[in-house]
Amino acid sequence: MILSRYERMIAKRYLLPGKGEAFIFLVASISLVAVMLGVAALVIVMSVMNGFRAELFDKIVGLNGHAVVQGIGGQLPDWRDVVKTARATPGVTSATPLIEQPLMTSYNGRVEAVLVRGMRVADIRKNTTINSKVVLGSLNSLTVGSNKIAIGSRLAEALGATVGSEISLISPQGQTTPFGTVPRIVSYTVGAIFEIGVYDYDKAYIIMPMEDAQTLLLMGDNVGMIEIQTEDADRVGQILAPLQEKVGRRAVIADWRQMNAQLFEALAVERVAMFTVLSIIILVAVFNILSSLIMLVRAKTRDIAILRTMGATRGGLMRIFMVVGTTIGALGVLAGLLLGFIFLFYRQGVVNFVQFVTGQNLWDPSIRYLTELPSKTDPVEIAVIAVMALVFSFLATLYPAYKAASTDPVQVLRYE
């Protein structure tokens, strides 16, 4: 929108408070602040929601892969052939055999439910999701026959165990006696403690060499499943379709969307709902811009009439008031983006401060899944939020600008 010199001068004059116009300026300032808060709220919430999804996806996929090939009955006797076939499938980047079994563990009279995962030693050390999250001990201590395991940090807290502690794993698959099956109890030494960042994993997971897990669970040379990584997580179903035909009835393939469908669908619905609700805040702020411009037009009726008699065109007057309202909206958008980015940068400190002031635990990992408030800013979403706020602000200027341009100087100045 190109303004002439006098139009720019008048628009600048109307943006600043004049004599007897403090109230109008106050309303315009409130409008700016409202736009700022609405934009900041949208930026913060959408970034946090994106962070939730990204963090959960990275950690879940880092442990469980993009898909798993699970044997019928929980075991894959011919797992080596399946691994070979999977690796030969176009689009598959890795295929890792593993064992997962829910068991019980005890230490110093404390008992917890756990999920024992057996992996080959080389695969344990190559897994960056686990290897980069070790807080105590070392995964190098986990070797076949060493009777050493790695446990999650929350499980260590619940048991009161640390590196070097000897905990017992209780398996229902034990020795059969005339009185029934006696559970199998085997002691292991904690060699490492890891903290992935997902509460459920840190509370339940126990990692051990696959051969030790086979011995504990009396599985012989069998494994429970094969973890698959692909080139594109969004195309995992299409990539693994040929593999499903080859494994036939020996196994079933479940991808990350099927295994975590409820969680990710809930996040998607919540993102849409939050975006819609918070967009209404910006809409309310835009109505403030509308009201402040209407008040400004009413206060400047005499000035507008004089400008009309001096040769100002209707289009020029419309441009002046459209620029005034859009400028208020633009300044609010810029301030909102700045406030949102500052909040996101210090988000965990803000959460900790609020918790300290209120005395309430606002971020319980057992409920929130993650141990810290995540954030991931999407530039496209930020641009959409900014453009949406600017468009709303521009639309709010049309009616006041039209009323200003429609002012009849003869009627206004008749008794002057």
Side-chain angles (χ1 to χ4, degrees):
M1 187 179 299
I2 301 176
L3 300 181
S4 64
R5 184 176 179 182
Y6 92 90
E7 290 171 351
R8 288 197 301 271
M9 179 189 68
I10 296 173
K12 182 178 179 181
R13 173 67 181 81
Y14 285 175
L15 281 170
L16 300 175
K19 184 178 180 181
E21 300 169 356
F23 183 72
I24 298 175
F25 179 73
L26 176 62
V27 174
S29 300
I30 293 173
S31 303
L32 188 151
V33 172
V35 173
M36 176 188 72
L37 294 178
V39 170
L42 261 178
V43 170
I44 293 167
V45 170
M46 299 309 296
S47 297
V48 169
M49 295 297 296
N50 289 337
F52 257 112
R53 189 186 187 282
E55 285 288 316
L56 286 173
F57 180 80
D58 290 343
K59 295 178 187 302
I60 289 173
V61 168
L63 277 179
N64 300 322
H66 293 160
V68 293
V69 181
Q70 191 158 9
I72 303 298
Q75 294 192 20
L76 271 175
D78 56 344
W79 60 272
R80 289 182 177 83
D81 292 336
V82 177
V83 168
K84 185 177 180 180
T85 303
R87 289 176 176 170
T89 303
V92 174
T93 56
S94 69
T96 305
L98 54 86
I99 297 170
E100 272 194 1
Q101 183 69 35
L103 298 177
M104 301 294 291
T105 185
S106 65
Y107 178 72
N108 283 347
R110 301 180 183 181
V111 180
E112 294 287 337
V114 297
L115 187 63
V116 172
R117 166 172 283 211
M119 303 172 64
R120 292 181 297 189
V121 173
D123 294 330
I124 293 175
R125 295 174 183 173
K126 285 192 301 183
N127 192 307
T128 55
T129 302
I130 301 173
N131 206 20
S132 62
K133 302 297 182 179
V134 175
V135 294
L136 286 175
S138 173
L139 293 178
N140 292 330
S141 63
L142 274 65
T143 57
V144 178
S146 65
N147 266 23
K148 289 192 175 182
I149 57 176
I151 67 175
S153 59
R154 302 290 177 175
L155 178 59
E157 291 177 7
L159 294 173
T162 186
V163 173
S165 300
E166 191 170 287
I167 67 175
S168 299
L169 291 179
I170 306 169
S171 172
Q173 299 176 352
Q175 185 178 1
T176 303
T177 69
F179 302 99
T181 301
V182 178
R184 180 177 174 82
I185 303 176
V186 181
S187 296
Y188 293 90
T189 302
V190 177
I193 296 175
F194 57 85
E195 184 171 336
I196 295 172
V198 178
Y199 181 86
D200 289 352
Y201 292 163
D202 294 334
K203 184 70 166 58
Y205 262 90
I206 290 181
I207 308 295
M208 65 169 57
M210 189 173 71
E211 293 79 1
D212 291 350
Q214 289 172 330
T215 301
L216 171 66
L217 300 172
L218 305 177
M219 295 181 63
D221 190 40
N222 298 339
V223 301
M225 63 184 70
I226 296 171
E227 174 190 290
I228 304 292
Q229 295 279 2
T230 64
E231 293 177 348
D232 186 355
D234 294 326
R235 296 178 52 248
V236 62
Q238 179 182 347
I239 292 173
L240 296 182
L243 179 61
Q244 179 65 72
E245 297 177 0
K246 294 177 182 178
V247 297
R249 297 182 178 179
R250 295 175 296 170
V252 293
I253 299 178
D255 60 43
W256 64 272
R257 291 171 297 192
Q258 296 168 336
M259 292 185 289
N260 306 279
Q262 292 181 338
L263 176 60
F264 285 104
E265 285 179 7
L267 285 175
V269 171
E270 189 171 356
R271 285 180 72 252
V272 174
M274 294 301 292
F275 185 88
T276 304
V277 171
L278 293 174
S279 296
I280 296 175
I281 297 178
I282 297 179
L283 195 58
V284 172
V286 166
F287 277 107
N288 285 338
I289 295 177
L290 175 64
S291 62
S292 65
L293 284 180
I294 291 175
M295 294 173 63
L296 181 61
V297 170
R298 292 292 299 272
K300 297 295 184 181
T301 301
R302 184 172 178 273
D303 292 359
I304 294 170
I306 294 174
L307 288 172
R308 290 283 288 120
T309 60
M310 294 175 62
T313 63
R314 293 177 181 271
L317 289 173
M318 284 194 68
R319 287 193 293 271
I320 290 171
F321 285 94
M322 289 165 65
V323 166
V324 170
T326 305
T327 301
I328 294 173
L331 292 175
V333 169
L334 291 175
L337 293 176
L338 180 61
L339 178 62
F341 293 147
I342 291 174
F343 183 94
L344 291 173
F345 186 79
Y346 294 104
R347 61 189 182 279
Q348 196 58 44
V350 172
V351 171
N352 295 336
F353 175 75
V354 174
Q355 289 182 154
F356 174 77
V357 172
T358 62
Q360 300 293 322
N361 185 8
L362 302 179
W363 196 261
D364 186 352
S366 63
I367 300 174
R368 312 292 184 184
Y369 286 101
L370 303 178
T371 55
E372 290 187 353
L373 181 66
S375 172
K376 183 181 180 181
T377 302
D378 185 351
V380 175
E381 280 189 351
I382 299 301
V384 169
I385 292 169
V387 170
M388 180 184 68
L390 287 173
V391 169
F392 284 172
S393 300
F394 173 76
L395 293 177
T397 66
L398 296 181
Y399 177 73
Y402 172 76
K403 293 298 290 184
S406 302
T407 300
D408 185 356
V410 174
Q411 294 294 330
V412 173
L413 301 176
R414 173 178 295 178
Y415 301 106
E416 292 293 333

